[in-house]
């Protein structure tokens, strides 16, 4: 039976709240495609009060594609498909505490991630989402034309590898990240891609995983990358989502960046993340 889904925009440029859906329930194909369209239109969908078991969380994500098992995050015990995004009261560094898009280092990057809040701090621990549709749309025609000719190199090595930058910063992510020897992925993608669902153009570089433009050194690439990054963080393109246990954010990695705010020292935050496979991205 078709259900009555209400989709309410969270902000002018990014995010929408989905009401009337219990992700633990069966879902007809029409509702799945309505949610997929909404994801394409808004970049991230928010659901409240989804107290799913791990199996229900997996089943909810599998409606949108195969699960992409993350090789670097610790898993929830007994559930390899669910990555744990955790910070204990005594830990200082968080996971995802900088602007990024998941898995751009893969040749075939992940479509999206479905993050479910299990334990949240009393205050803080929000996640910011930025629209890469809006960021592209508001560039000058000259800069659009310049970046549309470029490809960029993305890598997992400096984030998850044996020489990851967080180690140089002295951050302790012990027990939360694993398999540094598997961080060997590099991928080249167009700097501007056509979004696979909406067909709109989006900026597809991010401060977390992009190293340089193809054919240039890291250093030569920095001025233009930093110009783009400063533009993409414009507050007009950003929505700040406040979590509660049972909240879900389901974001499209091809349309958004995200940033986990680390402002809850001394408290625990525990999230379960499932990543859904995508397709090759193209200009
Ligand atoms: C992530 O970057 O995938 C985690 C985001 C969050 O914990 O809010």
């Amino acid at each position: 039976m078709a259900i009555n889904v209400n989709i309410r925009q969270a902000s002018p440029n990014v995010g929408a709240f989905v009401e009337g859906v219990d992700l633990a329930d069966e879902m007809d194909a029409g509702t799945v495609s309505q949610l997929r369209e909404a994801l394409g239109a808004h970049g991230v969908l928010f659901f409240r009060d989804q107290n799913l078991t791990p199996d229900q969380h997996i089943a909810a994500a599998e409606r949108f594609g195969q699960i992409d098992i993350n090789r670097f995050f610790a898993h929830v015990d007994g559930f390899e498909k669910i990555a744990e995004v955790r910070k204990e009261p005594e830990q200082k560094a968080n996971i995802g505490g900088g602007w990024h898009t998941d898995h751009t280092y893969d040749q075939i990057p992940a479509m999206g991630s479905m993050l479910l809040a299990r334990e949240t701090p009393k205050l803080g621990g929000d996640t910011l989402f930025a629209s890469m549709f809006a960021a592209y749309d508001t560039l000058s025609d000259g800069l659009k034309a310049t970046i549309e000719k470029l490809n960029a190199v993305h890598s997992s090595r400096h984030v998850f590898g044996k020489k990851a930058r967080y180690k140089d910063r002295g951050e302790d992510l012990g027990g939360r990240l694993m398999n540094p020897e598997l961080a060997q992925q590099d991928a080249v993608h167009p700097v501007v891609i056509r979004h696979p669902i909406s067909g709109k153009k989006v900026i597809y570089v991010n401060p977390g995983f992009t190293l340089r433009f193809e054919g240039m050194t890291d250093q030569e690439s920095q001025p233009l990358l930093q110009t783009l990054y400063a533009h993409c963080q414009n507050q007009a393109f950003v929505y700040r989502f406040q979590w509660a246990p049972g909240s879900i954010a389901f974001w499209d990695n091809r349309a958004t960046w995200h940033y986990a705010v680390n402002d809850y020292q001394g408290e625990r935050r525990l999230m379960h993340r499932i990543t859904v496979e995508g397709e090759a991205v193209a200009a």
Side-chain angles (χ1 to χ4, degrees):
M1 195 184 65
I3 53 173
N4 201 5
V5 180
N6 182 38
I7 294 172
R8 182 170 54 83
Q9 261 184 270
S11 74
N13 283 312
V14 65
F17 285 89
V18 179
E19 291 149 352
V21 172
D22 183 343
L23 289 167
D25 290 345
E26 290 296 307
M27 199 180 280
D28 60 280
T31 305
V32 175
S33 72
Q34 187 183 356
L35 293 181
R36 192 186 295 279
E37 288 300 310
L39 188 61
H42 302 290
V44 49
L45 301 179
F46 305 114
F47 303 77
R48 295 289 190 194
D49 304 318
Q50 305 287 324
N51 296 305
L52 309 180
T53 65
D55 283 323
Q56 288 169 335
H57 187 191
I58 292 168
E62 280 178 339
R63 294 196 183 101
F64 299 92
Q66 301 275 323
I67 306 303
D68 185 329
I69 297 178
N70 188 289
R71 33 204 186 276
F72 306 121
F73 286 27
H75 299 130
V76 172
D77 266 356
F79 296 94
E80 194 194 29
K81 291 178 174 171
I82 307 181
E84 207 176 59
V85 179
R86 177 168 53 85
K87 183 170 169 246
E88 299 293 348
E90 67 281 7
Q91 293 173 326
K92 294 278 175 267
N94 71 339
I95 291 176
W99 283 115
H100 66 285
T101 301
D102 303 331
H103 287 246
T104 62
Y105 47 80
D106 285 331
Q107 302 283 341
I108 310 242
M111 178 273 259
S113 298
M114 196 181 267
L115 188 70
L116 166 60
R118 294 290 184 191
E119 281 185 59
T120 53
K122 284 191 289 300
L123 272 180
D126 301 344
T127 305
L128 310 179
F129 293 91
S131 167
M132 293 302 110
F133 296 141
Y136 172 80
D137 258 5
T138 49
L139 290 175
S140 65
D141 289 345
L143 191 46
K144 281 180 183 163
T146 302
I147 63 172
E148 278 177 29
K149 296 191 205 88
L150 300 174
N151 292 317
V153 180
H154 304 246
S155 182
S156 61
R157 297 167 200 269
H158 61 289
V159 181
F160 299 117
K162 289 191 175 146
K163 295 187 179 160
R165 289 179 189 162
Y166 74 84
K167 296 179 184 169
D168 295 339
R169 293 194 297 264
E171 288 176 359
D172 175 21
L173 292 176
R176 292 181 283 169
L177 294 183
M178 58 187 194
N179 299 327
E181 69 289 354
L182 299 183
Q184 312 231 359
Q185 299 77 19
D186 298 309
V188 176
H189 304 297
V191 171
V192 177
I193 61 165
R194 249 193 217 276
H195 188 267
I197 304 175
S198 67
K200 292 195 274 190
K201 288 183 179 177
V202 289
I203 294 178
Y204 198 67
V205 286
N206 69 91
F209 297 110
T210 309
L211 291 178
R212 60 182 169 275
F213 297 111
E214 189 180 42
M216 297 189 201
T217 65
D218 288 17
Q219 200 182 0
E220 286 165 346
S221 304
Q222 281 310 306
L224 181 50
L225 280 176
Q226 294 306 329
T227 299
L228 289 174
Y229 294 161
H231 173 74
C232 292
Q233 292 171 45
N234 184 323
Q235 292 300 300
F237 315 146
V238 173
Y239 179 70
R240 184 176 188 127
F241 180 61
Q242 295 180 321
W243 298 91
S247 303
I248 283 186
F250 179 28
W251 63 82
D252 186 322
N253 284 312
R254 294 90 41 107
T256 54
W257 285 358
H258 57 280
Y259 185 132
V261 179
N262 188 13
D263 60 354
Y264 54 96
Q265 299 304 342
E267 289 197 72
R268 187 168 204 251
R269 183 176 184 270
L270 175 64
M271 319 292 274
H272 285 181
R273 194 182 94 179
I274 301 183
T275 302
V276 178
E277 283 183 1
E279 55 209 88
V281 290

mmCIF file of all heavy atoms in Angstrom, residues 243-272:
data_model
loop_
_atom_site.group_PDB
_atom_site.id
_atom_site.type_symbol
_atom_site.label_atom_id
_atom_site.label_comp_id
_atom_site.label_asym_id
_atom_site.label_seq_id
_atom_site.Cartn_x
_atom_site.Cartn_y
_atom_site.Cartn_z
ATOM 1 N N TRP A 243 20.908 16.531 15.953
ATOM 2 C CA TRP A 243 20.535 15.126 16.114
ATOM 3 C C TRP A 243 19.806 14.868 17.423
ATOM 4 O O TRP A 243 19.993 15.587 18.388
ATOM 5 C CB TRP A 243 21.805 14.256 16.132
ATOM 6 C CG TRP A 243 22.619 14.301 14.886
ATOM 7 C CD1 TRP A 243 23.646 15.148 14.603
ATOM 8 C CD2 TRP A 243 22.485 13.446 13.749
ATOM 9 N NE1 TRP A 243 24.154 14.871 13.365
ATOM 10 C CE2 TRP A 243 23.470 13.819 12.823
ATOM 11 C CE3 TRP A 243 21.628 12.384 13.424
ATOM 12 C CZ2 TRP A 243 23.630 13.194 11.598
ATOM 13 C CZ3 TRP A 243 21.777 11.757 12.211
ATOM 14 C CH2 TRP A 243 22.763 12.154 11.310
ATOM 15 N N ALA A 244 19.067 13.773 17.426
ATOM 16 C CA ALA A 244 18.554 13.172 18.669
ATOM 17 C C ALA A 244 18.610 11.670 18.415
ATOM 18 O O ALA A 244 18.616 11.245 17.247
ATOM 19 C CB ALA A 244 17.122 13.623 18.928
ATOM 20 N N PRO A 245 18.670 10.842 19.464
ATOM 21 C CA PRO A 245 18.686 9.405 19.207
ATOM 22 C C PRO A 245 17.503 9.015 18.310
ATOM 23 O O PRO A 245 16.370 9.470 18.513
ATOM 24 C CB PRO A 245 18.560 8.802 20.610
ATOM 25 C CG PRO A 245 19.182 9.841 21.498
ATOM 26 C CD PRO A 245 18.793 11.162 20.889
ATOM 27 N N GLY A 246 17.785 8.222 17.283
ATOM 28 C CA GLY A 246 16.726 7.823 16.341
ATOM 29 C C GLY A 246 16.651 8.716 15.109
ATOM 30 O O GLY A 246 15.922 8.401 14.167
ATOM 31 N N SER A 247 17.398 9.824 15.096
ATOM 32 C CA SER A 247 17.423 10.663 13.878
ATOM 33 C C SER A 247 18.284 9.974 12.820
ATOM 34 O O SER A 247 19.295 9.339 13.141
ATOM 35 C CB SER A 247 18.063 12.021 14.139
ATOM 36 O OG SER A 247 17.404 12.714 15.156
ATOM 37 N N ILE A 248 17.878 10.160 11.575
ATOM 38 C CA ILE A 248 18.670 9.658 10.445
ATOM 39 C C ILE A 248 18.923 10.805 9.479
ATOM 40 O O ILE A 248 18.009 11.592 9.195
ATOM 41 C CB ILE A 248 17.915 8.523 9.710
ATOM 42 C CG1 ILE A 248 18.031 7.222 10.523
ATOM 43 C CG2 ILE A 248 18.457 8.310 8.291
ATOM 44 C CD1 ILE A 248 17.457 6.002 9.845
ATOM 45 N N ALA A 249 20.140 10.886 8.982
ATOM 46 C CA ALA A 249 20.427 11.736 7.812
ATOM 47 C C ALA A 249 20.867 10.791 6.700
ATOM 48 O O ALA A 249 21.757 9.959 6.900
ATOM 49 C CB ALA A 249 21.522 12.746 8.124
ATOM 50 N N PHE A 250 20.218 10.916 5.574
ATOM 51 C CA PHE A 250 20.560 10.105 4.401
ATOM 52 C C PHE A 250 21.015 11.083 3.332
ATOM 53 O O PHE A 250 20.220 11.838 2.800
ATOM 54 C CB PHE A 250 19.319 9.325 3.953
ATOM 55 C CG PHE A 250 19.516 8.451 2.733
ATOM 56 C CD1 PHE A 250 20.748 7.905 2.411
ATOM 57 C CD2 PHE A 250 18.430 8.153 1.908
ATOM 58 C CE1 PHE A 250 20.908 7.095 1.291
ATOM 59 C CE2 PHE A 250 18.573 7.342 0.791
ATOM 60 C CZ PHE A 250 19.816 6.816 0.483
ATOM 61 N N TRP A 251 22.331 11.127 3.104
ATOM 62 C CA TRP A 251 22.844 12.154 2.193
ATOM 63 C C TRP A 251 23.375 11.544 0.903
ATOM 64 O O TRP A 251 23.765 10.384 0.858
ATOM 65 C CB TRP A 251 23.911 13.010 2.853
ATOM 66 C CG TRP A 251 25.161 12.322 3.280
ATOM 67 C CD1 TRP A 251 26.237 12.010 2.509
ATOM 68 C CD2 TRP A 251 25.499 11.900 4.612
ATOM 69 N NE1 TRP A 251 27.219 11.423 3.271
ATOM 70 C CE2 TRP A 251 26.791 11.333 4.558
ATOM 71 C CE3 TRP A 251 24.825 11.950 5.840
ATOM 72 C CZ2 TRP A 251 27.428 10.817 5.684
ATOM 73 C CZ3 TRP A 251 25.468 11.431 6.951
ATOM 74 C CH2 TRP A 251 26.742 10.875 6.864
ATOM 75 N N ASP A 252 23.378 12.389 -0.113
ATOM 76 C CA ASP A 252 23.895 12.025 -1.423
ATOM 77 C C ASP A 252 25.301 12.606 -1.533
ATOM 78 O O ASP A 252 25.482 13.832 -1.510
ATOM 79 C CB ASP A 252 22.965 12.608 -2.498
ATOM 80 C CG ASP A 252 23.340 12.148 -3.894
ATOM 81 O OD1 ASP A 252 24.545 12.033 -4.183
ATOM 82 O OD2 ASP A 252 22.423 11.939 -4.704
ATOM 83 N N ASN A 253 26.275 11.715 -1.640
ATOM 84 C CA ASN A 253 27.669 12.162 -1.698
ATOM 85 C C ASN A 253 28.006 12.918 -2.969
ATOM 86 O O ASN A 253 29.023 13.601 -3.019
ATOM 87 C CB ASN A 253 28.600 10.952 -1.613
ATOM 88 C CG ASN A 253 28.703 10.397 -0.211
ATOM 89 O OD1 ASN A 253 28.904 11.140 0.734
ATOM 90 N ND2 ASN A 253 28.548 9.094 -0.087
ATOM 91 N N ARG A 254 27.194 12.753 -4.012
ATOM 92 C CA ARG A 254 27.492 13.447 -5.263
ATOM 93 C C ARG A 254 26.930 14.859 -5.259
ATOM 94 O O ARG A 254 27.152 15.610 -6.212
ATOM 95 C CB ARG A 254 26.935 12.679 -6.474
ATOM 96 C CG ARG A 254 27.588 11.337 -6.738
ATOM 97 C CD ARG A 254 26.923 10.206 -6.047
ATOM 98 N NE ARG A 254 25.481 10.234 -6.053
ATOM 99 C CZ ARG A 254 24.700 9.434 -6.787
ATOM 100 N NH1 ARG A 254 25.243 8.536 -7.568
ATOM 101 N NH2 ARG A 254 23.394 9.504 -6.709
ATOM 102 N N ALA A 255 26.156 15.214 -4.244
ATOM 103 C CA ALA A 255 25.488 16.509 -4.233
ATOM 104 C C ALA A 255 25.852 17.383 -3.052
ATOM 105 O O ALA A 255 25.528 18.569 -3.038
ATOM 106 C CB ALA A 255 23.970 16.289 -4.213
ATOM 107 N N THR A 256 26.497 16.794 -2.038
ATOM 108 C CA THR A 256 26.721 17.536 -0.789
ATOM 109 C C THR A 256 28.120 17.275 -0.233
ATOM 110 O O THR A 256 28.740 16.259 -0.522
ATOM 111 C CB THR A 256 25.724 17.086 0.304
ATOM 112 O OG1 THR A 256 25.808 15.665 0.449
ATOM 113 C CG2 THR A 256 24.307 17.483 -0.027
ATOM 114 N N TRP A 257 28.551 18.204 0.612
ATOM 115 C CA TRP A 257 29.649 17.950 1.549
ATOM 116 C C TRP A 257 29.015 17.844 2.936
ATOM 117 O O TRP A 257 27.911 18.373 3.163
ATOM 118 C CB TRP A 257 30.561 19.161 1.650
ATOM 119 C CG TRP A 257 31.496 19.477 0.551
ATOM 120 C CD1 TRP A 257 31.732 18.807 -0.608
ATOM 121 C CD2 TRP A 257 32.362 20.627 0.545
ATOM 122 N NE1 TRP A 257 32.685 19.459 -1.334
ATOM 123 C CE2 TRP A 257 33.082 20.573 -0.654
ATOM 124 C CE3 TRP A 257 32.584 21.686 1.434
ATOM 125 C CZ2 TRP A 257 34.025 21.552 -0.981
ATOM 126 C CZ3 TRP A 257 33.506 22.647 1.107
ATOM 127 C CH2 TRP A 257 34.235 22.576 -0.093
ATOM 128 N N HIS A 258 29.749 17.247 3.898
ATOM 129 C CA HIS A 258 29.280 17.291 5.284
ATOM 130 C C HIS A 258 30.452 17.477 6.239
ATOM 131 O O HIS A 258 31.612 17.256 5.870
ATOM 132 C CB HIS A 258 28.423 16.079 5.642
ATOM 133 C CG HIS A 258 29.095 14.755 5.442
ATOM 134 N ND1 HIS A 258 29.203 14.143 4.216
ATOM 135 C CD2 HIS A 258 29.685 13.918 6.314
ATOM 136 C CE1 HIS A 258 29.833 12.996 4.346
ATOM 137 N NE2 HIS A 258 30.147 12.826 5.606
ATOM 138 N N TYR A 259 30.118 17.865 7.485
ATOM 139 C CA TYR A 259 31.122 18.251 8.482
ATOM 140 C C TYR A 259 30.529 17.949 9.861
ATOM 141 O O TYR A 259 29.509 18.530 10.227
ATOM 142 C CB TYR A 259 31.387 19.752 8.318
ATOM 143 C CG TYR A 259 32.467 20.378 9.166
ATOM 144 C CD1 TYR A 259 33.415 21.203 8.578
ATOM 145 C CD2 TYR A 259 32.534 20.211 10.547
ATOM 146 C CE1 TYR A 259 34.403 21.822 9.327
ATOM 147 C CE2 TYR A 259 33.516 20.818 11.294
ATOM 148 C CZ TYR A 259 34.446 21.621 10.684
ATOM 149 O OH TYR A 259 35.419 22.232 11.437
ATOM 150 N N ALA A 260 31.165 17.036 10.601
ATOM 151 C CA ALA A 260 30.679 16.677 11.945
ATOM 152 C C ALA A 260 31.312 17.630 12.960
ATOM 153 O O ALA A 260 32.535 17.614 13.156
ATOM 154 C CB ALA A 260 31.054 15.232 12.264
ATOM 155 N N VAL A 261 30.507 18.458 13.596
ATOM 156 C CA VAL A 261 31.034 19.491 14.500
ATOM 157 C C VAL A 261 31.487 18.834 15.820
ATOM 158 O O VAL A 261 30.736 18.076 16.437
ATOM 159 C CB VAL A 261 29.956 20.574 14.775
ATOM 160 C CG1 VAL A 261 30.498 21.630 15.735
ATOM 161 C CG2 VAL A 261 29.502 21.220 13.460
ATOM 162 N N ASN A 262 32.715 19.158 16.231
ATOM 163 C CA ASN A 262 33.324 18.515 17.407
ATOM 164 C C ASN A 262 33.296 19.477 18.596
ATOM 165 O O ASN A 262 34.331 19.995 19.015
ATOM 166 C CB ASN A 262 34.757 18.113 17.048
ATOM 167 C CG ASN A 262 35.393 17.268 18.132
ATOM 168 O OD1 ASN A 262 34.716 16.788 19.038
ATOM 169 N ND2 ASN A 262 36.697 17.091 18.052
ATOM 170 N N ASP A 263 32.112 19.707 19.155
ATOM 171 C CA ASP A 263 31.965 20.720 20.217
ATOM 172 C C ASP A 263 31.339 20.123 21.476
ATOM 173 O O ASP A 263 30.621 20.809 22.199
ATOM 174 C CB ASP A 263 31.108 21.887 19.708
ATOM 175 C CG ASP A 263 29.712 21.430 19.287
ATOM 176 O OD1 ASP A 263 29.445 20.212 19.275
ATOM 177 O OD2 ASP A 263 28.866 22.301 18.987
ATOM 178 N N TYR A 264 31.591 18.850 21.734
ATOM 179 C CA TYR A 264 30.904 18.180 22.866
ATOM 180 C C TYR A 264 31.899 17.384 23.705
ATOM 181 O O TYR A 264 31.614 16.246 24.101
ATOM 182 C CB TYR A 264 29.766 17.287 22.339
ATOM 183 C CG TYR A 264 30.210 16.294 21.279
ATOM 184 C CD1 TYR A 264 30.540 14.975 21.604
ATOM 185 C CD2 TYR A 264 30.335 16.693 19.948
ATOM 186 C CE1 TYR A 264 30.975 14.080 20.634
ATOM 187 C CE2 TYR A 264 30.762 15.810 18.975
ATOM 188 C CZ TYR A 264 31.083 14.516 19.329
ATOM 189 O OH TYR A 264 31.518 13.647 18.369
ATOM 190 N N GLN A 265 33.042 18.035 23.992
ATOM 191 C CA GLN A 265 34.090 17.325 24.753
ATOM 192 C C GLN A 265 33.526 16.797 26.067
ATOM 193 O O GLN A 265 32.704 17.438 26.709
ATOM 194 C CB GLN A 265 35.272 18.260 25.023
ATOM 195 C CG GLN A 265 35.963 18.806 23.772
ATOM 196 C CD GLN A 265 36.459 17.719 22.812
ATOM 197 O OE1 GLN A 265 36.594 16.562 23.173
ATOM 198 N NE2 GLN A 265 36.712 18.096 21.567
ATOM 199 N N GLY A 266 33.968 15.572 26.408
ATOM 200 C CA GLY A 266 33.537 14.987 27.685
ATOM 201 C C GLY A 266 32.241 14.209 27.580
ATOM 202 O O GLY A 266 31.765 13.641 28.565
ATOM 203 N N GLU A 267 31.648 14.186 26.396
ATOM 204 C CA GLU A 267 30.401 13.420 26.227
ATOM 205 C C GLU A 267 30.576 12.374 25.142
ATOM 206 O O GLU A 267 31.478 12.456 24.301
ATOM 207 C CB GLU A 267 29.268 14.362 25.852
ATOM 208 C CG GLU A 267 28.867 15.241 27.009
ATOM 209 C CD GLU A 267 27.511 15.850 26.770
ATOM 210 O OE1 GLU A 267 26.507 15.118 26.843
ATOM 211 O OE2 GLU A 267 27.478 17.051 26.463
ATOM 212 N N ARG A 268 29.663 11.406 25.124
ATOM 213 C CA ARG A 268 29.733 10.329 24.132
ATOM 214 C C ARG A 268 28.791 10.636 22.970
ATOM 215 O O ARG A 268 27.690 11.161 23.173
ATOM 216 C CB ARG A 268 29.309 9.019 24.804
ATOM 217 C CG ARG A 268 29.489 7.792 23.946
ATOM 218 C CD ARG A 268 29.331 6.527 24.798
ATOM 219 N NE ARG A 268 30.015 5.405 24.184
ATOM 220 C CZ ARG A 268 29.392 4.368 23.609
ATOM 221 N NH1 ARG A 268 28.088 4.302 23.581
ATOM 222 N NH2 ARG A 268 30.101 3.389 23.066
ATOM 223 N N ARG A 269 29.242 10.305 21.783
ATOM 224 C CA ARG A 269 28.374 10.392 20.594
ATOM 225 C C ARG A 269 28.591 9.107 19.806
ATOM 226 O O ARG A 269 29.731 8.758 19.485
ATOM 227 C CB ARG A 269 28.755 11.612 19.756
ATOM 228 C CG ARG A 269 27.883 11.855 18.513
ATOM 229 C CD ARG A 269 28.360 13.148 17.882
ATOM 230 N NE ARG A 269 27.606 13.602 16.730
ATOM 231 C CZ ARG A 269 27.877 13.274 15.466
ATOM 232 N NH1 ARG A 269 28.864 12.432 15.183
ATOM 233 N NH2 ARG A 269 27.168 13.792 14.478
ATOM 234 N N LEU A 270 27.510 8.413 19.496
ATOM 235 C CA LEU A 270 27.620 7.134 18.786
ATOM 236 C C LEU A 270 26.623 7.114 17.630
ATOM 237 O O LEU A 270 25.410 7.263 17.844
ATOM 238 C CB LEU A 270 27.323 5.965 19.737
ATOM 239 C CG LEU A 270 27.287 4.583 19.090
ATOM 240 C CD1 LEU A 270 28.653 4.193 18.517
ATOM 241 C CD2 LEU A 270 26.815 3.525 20.086
ATOM 242 N N MET A 271 27.163 6.940 16.434
ATOM 243 C CA MET A 271 26.344 6.930 15.231
ATOM 244 C C MET A 271 26.643 5.646 14.460
ATOM 245 O O MET A 271 27.777 5.146 14.485
ATOM 246 C CB MET A 271 26.709 8.119 14.320
ATOM 247 C CG MET A 271 26.954 9.435 15.019
ATOM 248 S SD MET A 271 25.489 10.136 15.758
ATOM 249 C CE MET A 271 24.823 11.013 14.355
ATOM 250 N N HIS A 272 25.648 5.147 13.758
ATOM 251 C CA HIS A 272 25.834 3.975 12.895
ATOM 252 C C HIS A 272 25.681 4.413 11.442
ATOM 253 O O HIS A 272 24.646 4.975 11.077
ATOM 254 C CB HIS A 272 24.781 2.902 13.216
ATOM 255 C CG HIS A 272 25.062 2.173 14.495
ATOM 256 N ND1 HIS A 272 24.259 1.167 14.968
ATOM 257 C CD2 HIS A 272 26.087 2.305 15.383
ATOM 258 C CE1 HIS A 272 24.773 0.694 16.098
ATOM 259 N NE2 HIS A 272 25.866 1.376 16.378
#
